[in-house]
Amino acid sequence: HLGHIRNNLLGYSVAQILRAVGHNVIKVNLVNDRGIHICKSMLAWKRYGGGETPASSGMKGDHLVGKYYVEFDRHYKAQVKELTASGMSEEEAKKRAPLMLEAQEMLRRWEARDPEVYGLWEMMNGWVYDGFDVTYKALGVDFDKVYYESQTYLLGKSLVEEGLAKGVFYRRPDNSVWIDLTGDGLDEKLLLRGDGTSVYMTQDLGTAYRRFEDNRLDDMIYVVGNEQNYHFQVLKLVLKKLGYAEWSDHITHLSYGMVELPEGKMKSREGTVVDADDLIAAMVQTAREMSAELGKLDGCTEEEADAVSAMVGLGALKYFILKVDPRKTMLFDPRESIDFNGNTGPFIQYTHARIRSVLRKAAEAGIGLEGDGDGAAADYLPEEIALVKSLTEYPAVVKAAGDSFAPSIIGAYVYELAKTFNGYYHDHSILREENPAVRRMRLRLAGQVARVIRSGMRLLGIDVPERM
């Protein structure tokens, strides 16, 4: 959904920026493919699905599995309501609802590698992976490695056993395993349930250990929403107490704010989310309609119009999300993001296309960029000097963005550069300038502005069109 889009775009852009400043970066996806939430979808499909598949329903696999996650919640809430009506407390009803007990039993069977449960899990996870791949491709996001929690939770369990042996953790009478962090100003944290099944923290211990061991990393940056701030504080502290301070201190949580819509907050289990695929399709369609209205697709072939609409729609979405400081909660307004005026992706893309058009016309008219000097610096207009200064700042801007993991710094810079150029272009002619040396200088300057816009936007994962 839309919140995950911010996660993917932010992680991808930070990786691009860190590579640009000279780091060797491994882009990693962690697939949360096990746990009680997965069992909820599986149980609901088994109970209410009637054998429905992506092929029979025409739905993307991840959409189909998500549908049954919502379906579980609907039936579960009805059961809780029934139990509370019979006099049970709400807290007790949530624990004793038959569906929840059955989902918990399914998780135990999964961890025991029950063939029936495991087979169902493999089939439904396969549907989800196929669906995710389509969405990642549409977003222009890729990964160098993929880790699956189903492959790391056992390692996490062995680390818990190690912690018990060292006296770092303790076992309660119900057989659950905990760590007491009250002395560190935190609370007590569950690491294994009484029935032996693992929790998020268990598998995150295993995943962190596996990544550092596999890759000998200097640093690891988790791009995860701010509702997990406490979780990562605990993760680092637990690893330190287990004796892994050498690398646990090199874990950074790039905590980002939630994405909200004008209508309010989204909730996966209630199905009140904006689906990523639907949003991408709507953005591309809106980009096409607005571009056509403004005459920006005039003279384009159908194929070119499709390509430009996809580029502008995705550019609008990516820029609107990445221009905001990652730590801030943001409000996403699709229509506002696609405006061709103001601080938007399409405005910057159009500026690039406009410059490329000027350079093409110069080439067609036989106006070369090579020649004698561009004139004395004293002859430069203040606006030209401002543009040249702005261009020289670009490497420092990229470094600052890398140091603070903030693509928004690049977004702000590229927007200001595009805005400054547009003001200059509005007031001063380039192709009609009569002095050949000044005309050459202005064409070269425009070319450099286009080059830096293209470079900056690529660091945000955004393509810019040659014509529009």
Side-chain angles (χ1 to χ4, degrees):
H1 62 60
L2 182 53
H4 298 137
I5 287 180
R6 189 178 198 185
N7 173 291
N8 279 272
L9 298 183
L10 187 55
Y12 184 84
S13 180
V14 168
Q16 296 292 93
I17 294 163
L18 291 174
R19 274 185 183 155
V21 295
H23 294 291
N24 175 25
V25 181
I26 304 166
K27 291 177 295 183
V28 176
N29 189 11
L30 174 62
V31 180
N32 184 0
D33 65 342
R34 62 156 306 283
I36 194 70
H37 61 298
I38 306 285
C39 290
K40 287 176 182 179
S41 291
M42 287 162 57
L43 181 58
W45 181 85
K46 197 176 164 188
R47 282 222 174 175
Y48 318 114
E52 186 178 33
T53 67
S56 71
S57 64
M59 287 178 80
K60 265 180 90 230
D62 52 331
H63 291 186
L64 183 66
V65 174
K67 169 184 162 181
Y68 286 100
Y69 184 61
V70 174
E71 196 66 12
F72 176 94
D73 195 61
R74 195 168 67 81
H75 288 275
Y76 170 60
K77 277 184 174 160
Q79 288 185 353
V80 170
K81 194 175 177 184
E82 212 174 287
L83 291 170
T84 50
S86 68
M88 199 181 279
S89 73
E90 189 180 353
E91 192 181 340
E92 190 65 16
K94 284 180 176 178
K95 289 179 190 169
R96 300 282 293 276
L99 266 179
M100 183 58 77
L101 293 175
E102 207 175 330
Q104 288 166 349
E105 174 58 22
M106 188 178 256
L107 179 58
R108 283 190 287 273
R109 287 172 63 195
W110 181 87
E111 290 205 7
R113 287 288 184 116
D114 177 291
E116 185 195 339
V117 172
Y118 213 79
L120 175 61
W121 172 79
E122 286 181 319
M123 178 179 76
M124 291 181 73
N125 267 7
W127 297 346
V128 173
Y129 301 151
D130 290 345
F132 281 177
D133 286 345
V134 171
T135 310
Y136 290 138
K137 192 173 179 184
L139 272 177
V141 168
D142 58 15
F143 304 97
D144 302 309
K145 283 191 179 186
V146 178
Y147 284 86
Y148 299 91
E149 290 194 354
S150 58
Q151 295 167 1
T152 60
Y153 83 102
L154 287 175
L155 177 55
K157 280 185 159 188
S158 69
L159 290 171
V160 172
E161 291 301 325
E162 183 188 306
L164 276 168
K166 288 179 177 176
V168 177
F169 307 143
Y170 72 94
R171 201 181 286 279
R172 287 189 179 174
D174 68 353
N175 207 39
S176 58
V177 179
W178 295 73
I179 184 169
D180 184 355
L181 299 173
T182 51
D184 299 278
L186 305 177
D187 61 9
E188 296 195 47
K189 185 71 182 173
L190 174 69
L191 294 153
L192 272 183
R193 296 188 188 94
D195 62 6
T197 56
S198 62
V199 293
Y200 280 121
M201 187 57 70
T202 327
Q203 56 230 21
D204 274 357
L205 291 171
T207 304
Y209 181 91
R210 173 61 56 232
R211 286 173 170 179
F212 274 99
E213 288 297 307
D214 284 357
N215 306 294
R216 300 291 168 193
L217 305 172
D218 297 309
D219 288 286
M220 179 160 68
I221 303 155
Y222 282 89
V223 184
V224 183
N226 58 14
E227 79 273 29
Q228 297 294 335
N229 286 354
Y230 183 78
H231 176 84
F232 283 98
Q233 207 180 340
V234 172
L235 176 67
K236 288 177 72 169
L237 187 54
V238 171
L239 286 166
K240 194 170 189 174
K241 287 182 184 290
L242 282 172
Y244 301 113
E246 186 187 341
W247 51 260
S248 64
D249 284 342
H250 295 273
I251 288 174
T252 300
H253 174 204
L254 174 47
S255 167
Y256 61 87
M258 296 293 98
V259 183
E260 292 178 3
L261 293 161
E263 305 86 67
K265 201 172 178 180
M266 301 179 288
K267 292 175 184 171
S268 300
R269 65 176 60 88
E270 292 176 13
T272 58
V273 297
V274 172
D275 180 79
D277 301 295
D278 294 344
L279 180 62
I280 292 166
M283 293 294 289
V284 172
Q285 182 58 33
T286 306
R288 188 175 189 119
E289 288 164 7
M290 290 181 76
S291 300
E293 274 171 33
L294 296 167
K296 296 191 189 299
L297 299 177
D298 295 351
C300 286
T301 65
E302 193 65 19
E303 201 175 0
E304 283 174 332
D306 285 344
V308 168
S309 302
M311 207 180 282
V312 171
L314 271 172
L317 172 64
K318 291 180 178 185
Y319 184 80
F320 199 88
I321 284 176
L322 291 173
K323 74 177 181 180
V324 179
D325 183 308
R327 292 170 294 252
K328 291 181 179 172
T329 293
M330 64 172 293
L331 190 71
F332 179 71
D333 185 333
R335 193 84 190 168
E336 186 189 324
S337 74
I338 231 155
D339 195 342
F340 280 87
N341 296 303
N343 189 4
T344 66
F347 169 75
I348 297 166
Q349 288 173 315
Y350 184 55
T351 303
H352 178 269
R354 169 182 265 175
I355 295 172
R356 297 301 299 164
S357 171
V358 169
L359 294 173
R360 274 195 305 276
K361 284 175 183 170
E364 286 161 10
I367 301 169
L369 301 186
E370 301 306 317
D372 294 332
D374 290 338
D379 298 333
Y380 279 49
L381 297 168
E383 299 96 311
E384 289 160 352
I385 292 169
L387 279 168
V388 171
K389 279 184 176 174
S390 182
L391 290 170
T392 65
E393 290 162 6
Y394 179 58
V397 167
V398 176
K399 185 180 182 307
D403 288 345
S404 53
F405 311 138
S408 53
I409 292 173
I410 289 175
Y413 166 83
V414 174
Y415 168 62
E416 284 302 325
L417 179 63
K419 190 170 75 166
T420 304
F421 179 83
N422 271 302
Y424 166 69
Y425 181 78
H426 179 268
D427 294 339
H428 304 286
S429 174
I430 295 180
L431 289 177
R432 289 196 299 274
E433 169 57 47
E434 290 177 8
N435 182 328
V438 172
R439 187 172 59 206
R440 272 196 305 276
M441 178 274 294
R442 289 182 178 177
L443 284 167
R444 285 178 186 168
L445 181 58
Q448 288 302 319
V449 169
R451 183 185 65 80
V452 170
I453 286 175
R454 184 167 64 249
S455 172
M457 292 294 264
R458 277 189 181 154
L459 293 180
L460 302 180
I462 300 171
D463 291 323
V464 287
E466 286 293 300
R467 59 177 77 238
M468 208 164 158

